[in-house]
Amino acid sequence: MIMDPAEEFRTITMKKFAEAERAMCAGDPEPRFALWSHQDPVTLFGAATPVQSGWDVLEPVFRWVASRFSAVEDYRMEMVACQSIGDMGYTVAFEHVTATAYGKTTTFTLRATHVWRREDSEWKIVHRHGDSPPADDYASQNQRPA
C-alpha cells in the first residue's frame, strides 16, 4: 500500500526525526546527517551557534554539537504544528531533553522549527531554527486577548 505523502511526513518522517535527535543528544550525529539535505541551500539558526549555511559548514557544526553530549535520559518532541504540501513541509515543536553534557546531567527545552524538502522521494531538512523559549511577559502581566 502506498502511503499518502502528507501522512508519511507526519508519521514515518517524524519518527525518524525523533530517533535522530535522540541519537544526537547521546553523542551520535550520523542519524541527523541522514535526515538533512546535503544540497544547498541548507541553513541553521542554532541554539548554540550563529547562523550557518551550506552542508560543508553544517556537518562539522553538527559533529561539534553531538560531541558535547555523551548520554540521553529523555528526548521528547512536543509537536505544535506539522504540515506538508507537495514537496515542502515544516514542523514547529518543543524539544524536551535530559542528557549528559560535558559530564553533567542537564535538562532543557528548545523551540525548534524545521523546513523540509522532498528529494528523491525522501523528506530532508533544509533549515533548523532552535532556541530557548523566552519568558512569557504577556501572561505574567495578566493580559487577556481582546
Side-chain angles (χ1 to χ4, degrees):
M1 181 171 103
I2 297 175
M3 185 178 285
D4 170 63
E7 182 62 22
E8 175 191 11
F9 182 71
R10 285 188 301 275
T11 59
I12 295 170
T13 302
M14 290 303 99
K15 183 177 184 219
K16 288 179 184 177
F17 174 74
E19 290 168 355
E21 291 306 291
R22 185 175 184 81
M24 189 75 167
C25 293
D28 179 8
E30 295 299 324
R32 182 183 269 194
F33 295 164
L35 280 183
W36 273 75
S37 175
H38 296 206
Q39 301 174 29
D40 289 333
V42 290
T43 51
L44 172 67
F45 289 8
T49 66
V51 175
Q52 307 288 340
S53 181
W55 181 250
D56 292 344
V57 173
L58 295 185
E59 182 179 4
V61 169
F62 291 154
R63 286 191 190 284
W64 172 79
V65 170
S67 75
R68 298 169 59 200
F69 296 98
S70 59
V72 63
E73 292 178 28
D74 186 41
Y75 172 86
R76 184 173 50 87
M77 184 172 52
E78 179 186 341
M79 191 65 68
V80 175
C82 176
Q83 172 112 29
S84 68
I85 299 172
D87 289 337
M88 296 297 292
Y90 73 93
T91 56
V92 178
F94 289 99
E95 296 175 344
H96 304 284
V97 180
T98 300
T100 303
Y102 300 117
K104 294 183 179 181
T105 300
T106 183
T107 298
F108 60 91
T109 297
L110 294 177
R111 297 184 303 183
T113 301
H114 292 86
V115 177
W116 298 73
R117 175 174 63 217
R118 202 165 36 189
E119 298 176 355
D120 299 323
S121 301
E122 289 188 46
W123 288 103
K124 300 291 183 175
I125 300 169
V126 295
H127 175 74
R128 173 182 170 92
H129 182 177
D131 64 13
S132 297
D136 189 348
D137 289 343
Y138 183 79
S140 69
Q141 294 178 17
N142 296 318
Q143 299 293 318
R144 298 181 194 271

